[in-house]
Amino acid sequence: MEPGRGRGPAASIRYRSYRRRWFLLFATCTLSCSNAMCWLTFAPVADQTARYFHISVNQVNWLSMIYLVVGVPFGFGTTWILDMLGLKTSLILSSWLNLAGCALQLLSVTFFIPHDSWKFPLLMVGQTFGALAQPLVLFSPTKLAAIWFPEQQRATANMISSMANPLGILFANILSPLLVKEPSSMPLLLGVYAVPAVIACLLTTVGIRNKAPPTPPSAGAANSTSEPFITGMKMVSRMRDQPYGLAVVCSLFGLLGFSIYPVCMELGVECSYPVGEATSAGLIFISGQLQGALLILLLPGLARPVTSDGSVCQVGVGAALDWTIPTLVLAAICSLEACCFAFLFHTEYRRVSAEDNEDAAALLAAATQ
């Protein structure tokens, strides 16, 4: 044990680091390494995988791509799971998902599945289970280091657990080509890769007994609070003193907006032909001006004074306003307009069609002369 430092109530707190933290670190590293190996099991041996399962190489690529597709939406839920349910639940859940994925992969190459038409779908389901486990695995190192390790060891613990994932990628790129010289070796490969998944599942399920140590290892761990996901997002959005980030975002918005402007003008002419070009461009411009004026008038009314420590700032000259709601409303309007355009806009390019008809008529006239 070592006493807390400083004055006041914190001075009476005695912080303690437990030796089991190294076991937790080892379990997390094993799980992360296993998940990374499962992710890239088939990429280094794509040709043999395609021949064994009687699929195309593009389908083999989807065995790795599914991790990226699933990881993006599930990553938001992972944040909530880590903050609300704790590290213990997250690690155990991810280890079982990872093991289930490996088990389904191994099942796809056994004699229980005689029909080839079932092998690849079962293999893909197994990869999907592993993909669900990946965000839980990748988001855990910082949480583990924060609540189990003292301040002088946090960076080391975070580095070790974070590097386990690239290490698993390295193992996959080395072991897969070594184990699969011929397509018939695919069951051996999946059997070998299932071993780390079993070990990681045993370590987390049996060895992790608490979601946090009985006594915090540092003042940071003692004062650590896990805000609900929505609350946290309202806070990662109200960060102050971000002039450079705001400038970059606005610059990108303007860059993309001005780049699409001439495209929209040309598209308006194509759709409204034979209406004059000035008429179609004018209507687009006027519509944009009207929408801009309405947004400028309405959105500031949705802004609210920034709350701090339970109090409301006085509204007046120079008063700080929270623009979260107006920004979200504007984003929703832009997203709705983009979706409507993508799904509903199927107008014929009339000017191009007219020009093609004229060219065809001219060629026909020339041919008959």
Side-chain angles (χ1 to χ4, degrees), residues 14 60 62 68 117 195 198 325:
R14 298 178 68 87
V60 176
W62 271 104
L68 306 179
S117 59
V195 174
V198 173
I325 295 179

Side-chain angles (χ1 to χ4, degrees), residues 16 26 67 94 97 144 184 238 247 258 266 268 273 296 309 322 351:
R16 178 181 179 182
F26 177 73
Y67 272 71
S94 59
L97 286 172
L144 173 67
S184 58
R238 295 177 182 173
F258 279 112
E266 282 294 306
Y273 185 85
I296 291 174
D309 298 329
D322 181 6
R351 184 172 62 174

Side-chain angles (χ1 to χ4, degrees), residues 35 67 70-79 82 90 94 97 129-141:
N35 187 256
Y67 272 71
V70 172
V72 172
F74 192 66
F76 294 100
T78 298
T79 304
L82 273 169
S90 300
S94 59
L97 286 172
F129 274 95
L132 291 173
Q134 187 183 52
L136 289 167
V137 174
L138 296 181
F139 292 4
S140 296

Side-chain angles (χ1 to χ4, degrees), residues 161-237:
S161 54
S162 297
M163 288 298 102
N165 196 263
L167 187 63
I169 296 175
L170 176 63
F171 286 160
N173 282 278
I174 293 176
L175 290 178
S176 291
L178 288 177
L179 294 175
V180 182
K181 300 295 186 182
E182 296 293 335
S184 58
S185 301
M186 193 61 61
L188 172 63
L189 175 68
L190 297 180
V192 170
Y193 279 29
V195 174
V198 173
I199 295 175
C201 191
L202 289 175
L203 290 176
T204 55
T205 304
V206 178
I208 301 180
R209 293 170 290 175
N210 308 99
K211 66 178 182 180
T215 304
S218 65
N223 298 323
S224 176
T225 57
S226 294
E227 295 288 345
F229 177 72
I230 299 299
T231 303
M233 291 298 292
K234 288 181 179 179
M235 292 174 62
V236 174
S237 65

Side-chain angles (χ1 to χ4, degrees), residues 238 295-307 312-313 315-316 319-330:
R238 295 177 182 173
L295 293 176
I296 291 174
L297 289 174
L298 296 178
L299 292 182
L302 299 177
R304 293 290 181 267
V306 175
T307 57
V312 178
C313 297
V315 180
L321 294 177
D322 181 6
W323 289 86
T324 302
I325 295 179
T327 302
L328 292 176
V329 170
L330 179 62

